[in-house]
Amino acid sequence: MGPGNRPLDLDWLEDFLTLAETGNFSRAAEVRAIAQPALSRHIRSLEEWVGVDLVDRTAHPVELTAAGKKFQPLIQGALSALEAARIKARAAQDLASASLRFASTHSLSILFFPKWLGLLETRLRLGPIQTMTDNSHACEDLMVQRRVQFLLSYGHSDVLGKLDEGQYPMVKLGDDVLLPVTAADAFGDSLFKLDGPGVLPILEYSEASGLGRVMRAKLKHLFVEGAASASLSNVSVIFTAHNAFLLKSMALAGRGIAWLPQSLIKDELASGALQLAGLSKWHLPIEIRLYRQSSEMTPAAEHLWQIVSGQA
């Protein structure tokens, strides 16, 4: 906006630059493909917007005033910057339309996502890929806000998350199991045992964790005071985090019992660094899931979903 809160028409700027180049109102109007009176009105409107005369109309050919000469290169730069911004914005939109945008929980972004993408590339040219990694609740929010097209997360058929309640389409990509594990003692046995004596230090998932949501629903007798008779009276939650990798580190350090995806700890189980802390009744099967947006997505995203849902 200019003096008096008047709007600026970009055509006036183009008319001014053309007049400055040609030095003639008639020729400038011809180049701009408008009538000469219209071009004259535009130049006068621009001068009123700036607040000073930009053109010396007494000179032949037309010359710019001192103000006009100062104004000209600045306007050329501004228009060039606007055009560059337009081009970059369109390029960004084209890239976003062609790209695939995923949200993934921390564990799956490392344990599953890279290999899964490698398998997809044998069937589909993926193009640009954007990923956002966070806890389960934050990833669900990214889907609800439509900032991503897909969400890769753990789930359980008996435990509804935000996307299940919202009836987002989902396919199961694989299976895993949460195992209660603890560090080994000096004799290579479990440092803590769920059916053993003494206080049991538990390393728990936070409220933001999807695995925590599943555990609290399926193993509530372990964590809820005054629950069924199968609950343990000697449980003490000593550490909480939403990241399975952090809970794994705490378990390896001998700090307590953590329920960790088997895919995350297979090497530690094989080496004996981690030991099972409970029998199969404490094991919790989980699913590896891919959710998609309910509404229509870009062709690249729809093609991926078509292949994935068919393979699943």
Side-chain angles (χ1 to χ4, degrees), residues 18-172:
T18 304
L19 178 60
E21 182 180 348
T22 61
N24 183 277
F25 276 90
S26 297
R27 177 60 181 153
E30 182 180 344
V31 171
R32 293 289 293 154
I34 61 175
Q36 180 179 332
L39 185 134
S40 297
R41 287 195 303 273
H42 292 175
I43 299 301
R44 181 60 67 188
S45 296
L46 178 60
E47 291 175 321
E48 291 175 357
W49 184 87
V50 176
V52 296
D53 288 339
L54 300 173
V55 177
D56 182 359
R57 293 168 174 78
T58 65
H60 298 284
V62 172
E63 294 182 356
L64 300 182
T65 63
K69 292 177 180 178
K70 187 68 174 180
F71 191 63
Q72 181 186 15
L74 297 176
I75 290 305
Q76 286 175 326
L79 290 178
S80 296
L82 282 173
E83 178 63 14
R86 185 186 70 85
I87 292 173
K88 290 180 180 180
R90 291 174 65 91
Q93 174 62 31
D94 292 341
L95 179 61
S97 298
S99 67
L100 300 171
R101 302 188 303 279
F102 291 87
S104 176
T105 55
H106 293 289
S107 300
L108 289 173
S109 68
I110 297 174
L111 299 173
F112 185 84
F113 193 57
K115 292 182 180 179
W116 178 68
L117 282 182
L119 291 174
L120 276 180
E121 286 175 334
T122 65
R123 298 283 309 278
L124 175 68
R125 183 175 180 179
L126 296 179
I129 297 173
Q130 302 175 24
T131 61
M132 299 183 186
T133 303
D134 213 320
N135 61 63
S136 181
H137 283 199
C139 287
E140 289 172 340
D141 287 341
L142 290 173
M143 282 287 285
V144 172
Q145 297 163 9
R146 295 189 57 80
R147 294 176 59 189
V148 295
Q149 300 155 324
F150 301 100
L151 168 60
L152 184 65
S153 67
Y154 285 115
H156 192 285
S157 57
D158 296 336
V159 183
L160 297 181
K162 183 183 296 186
L163 300 190
D164 300 307
E165 294 171 348
Q167 298 184 335
Y168 283 69
M170 182 273 293
V171 293
K172 186 180 82 168

Side-chain angles (χ1 to χ4, degrees), residues 281-294:
K281 68 177 181 178
W282 297 108
H283 300 181
L284 183 57
I286 51 177
E287 299 174 350
I288 300 172
R289 297 176 167 186
L290 184 71
Y291 293 86
R292 61 155 287 169
Q293 289 291 342
S294 300

Side-chain angles (χ1 to χ4, degrees), residues 267-279:
D267 292 340
E268 288 77 12
L269 288 174
S271 69
L274 287 177
Q275 299 286 325
L276 290 175
L279 301 176

